[in-house]
Amino acid sequence: MSKPNFDSVLAALRTVQDPDLKKDLVTLDMIRDLKVFDDGKVTVRVVLTTPACPLKEKIKQDVIAAITSVTGTTSVDVTMDAEVRKSNHAAGATAAKTLGIPGVTHIIAVSSGKGGVGKSTVSVNLATSLALEGAKVGLLDADIYGPNIPTMMGVTENPKLIKDPVKGEMFIPPTSHGVKVMSMGFLIEGDQPVIWRGPMLHNILNQFCTRVDWGNLDYLILDLPPGTGDVQLSLAQMIPLTGTVLVTTPQEVALQDVRKAFNMWDKVKVPVIGVVENMSYFTGDDQKRYHIFGQGGGEMLAKKFNAKLLAQMPLVALVREGGDEGRPIVVKDAECESATLFRELARKVAQEVAILDSKQNQSAPLDIGKF
Ligand SMILES: Nc1ncnc2c1ncn2[C@@H]1O[C@H](COP(=O)(O)OP(=O)(O)OP(=O)(O)O)[C@@H](O)[C@H]1O
Ligand SMILES: [Mg+2]
């Protein structure tokens, strides 16, 4: 009986496509440590572009099927792994910008035109969900006027200030629910109002970008203050954001503000990863869905701006309670509907980021040395 060899297995793997990136796994450099043994056993490690890949199981099954189809294969052992990648052309990056935050692969801003629509709630649950999927995640509370993230993440420790011999004074962020957290809330006294303007504002944001030692992160989530003002513009100028997730509620006044936000991100050339419609409905004791803030706004907005509607989150008391007590709903009640929807949202965001990145990196050469 004929035995499989390295080339025949590799040829079979060239028939397996990543459905999102629309290329085969060999071309995408996802096939590593391929070993074909004399007894027909095949082992391989498949390196996806995110540990939160929603298609992980499908790709694994496709790989097993492709290898099994090679005549003489007796057994297949596939290990699924992930490496979050970054193209050299981060979206919106210009020579005038700093070259990102050292060690951080993707920076994702959670924004909206309007206040109180759930940006911080989405930020904490998105960050915690990505960490639960196995990614290395940081969360920067860029809402320097009303920092809520330490409370919502249940962080009790302050960041440590260390003296690095090369970088100088650096903050080491505390970790909560597997996420490294940094916030203006750590640096100001309890109930003091914060007034930052012009150069001072730019300076504090710059400190956040350069004076925090994040270590290696796959994703840094930025929770932005509401609006389309100085903070958003300063950050967009300073940091090469991979993209932004726009949060809205379904009603017209929120949508009007989010339209402004769309236009602002377009001007500064930051891609919109997608729209999250929050507080979409409330399920009563009679199991009926009540659309308290109207219906269909998120969908309409996504259509108008040719963006994806990533999620429609229900209004649920437990979500608010989780925020107040520092336990995001994805850890407070991992089995509930809201937690499931936030986990799905996180996988979609990771997926869209990988797609955005691959589009920006169309011409990446195949690293043959990896085989
Ligand atoms: N899906 C939800 N179900 C129930 N409560 C929610 C939901 N989303 C957000 N909330 C609650 O609504 C309030 C506002 O949410 P959040 O602080 O996340 O909004 P925000 O957009 O960050 O506000 P701001 O503009 O002030 O920063 C919070 O009390 C939060 O717990
Ligand atoms: Mg907020």
Side-chain angles (χ1 to χ4, degrees), residues 99-275:
L99 291 171
I101 302 179
V104 178
T105 307
H106 288 293
I107 308 169
I108 302 165
V110 176
S111 64
S112 77
K114 189 171 158 54
V117 292
K119 292 174 294 300
S120 302
T121 305
V122 169
S123 297
V124 296
N125 282 290
L126 174 60
T128 308
S129 296
L130 288 169
L132 287 169
E133 296 288 342
K136 295 188 278 301
V137 187
L139 174 55
L140 173 57
D141 185 357
D143 191 345
I144 55 174
Y145 303 106
N148 297 136
I149 294 295
T151 305
M152 294 175 90
M153 287 297 281
V155 185
T156 45
E157 240 183 297
N158 273 340
K160 287 195 187 78
L161 192 60
I162 58 148
K163 245 206 162 100
D164 184 281
V166 181
K167 300 181 219 161
E169 282 192 329
M170 296 293 283
F171 285 110
I172 306 287
T175 298
S176 185
H177 306 300
V179 176
K180 291 183 180 175
V181 181
M182 188 63 198
S183 168
M184 194 64 219
F186 295 134
L187 311 178
I188 49 173
E189 291 291 315
D191 296 326
Q192 294 288 321
V194 187
I195 308 156
W196 305 103
R197 292 205 190 284
M200 241 163 93
L201 170 74
H202 200 82
N203 200 21
I204 187 74
L205 291 174
N206 191 34
Q207 300 263 329
F208 267 161
C209 300
T210 55
R211 294 266 150 245
V212 180
D213 191 344
W214 292 100
N216 286 325
L217 293 185
D218 297 322
Y219 305 103
L220 176 63
I221 309 299
L222 297 189
D223 177 33
L224 294 187
T228 48
D230 288 356
V231 176
Q232 289 78 2
L233 288 172
S234 283
L235 280 170
Q237 281 157 9
M238 250 188 284
I239 312 177
L241 295 167
T242 297
T244 182
V245 172
L246 273 177
V247 185
T248 186
T249 48
Q251 83 268 38
E252 183 52 33
V253 281
L255 295 172
Q256 279 170 9
D257 291 336
V258 179
R259 274 184 213 119
K260 270 190 220 151
F262 256 109
N263 290 328
M264 182 201 77
W265 291 119
D266 187 46
K267 274 204 185 100
V268 293
K269 302 208 164 20
V270 171
V272 172
I273 295 167
V275 174

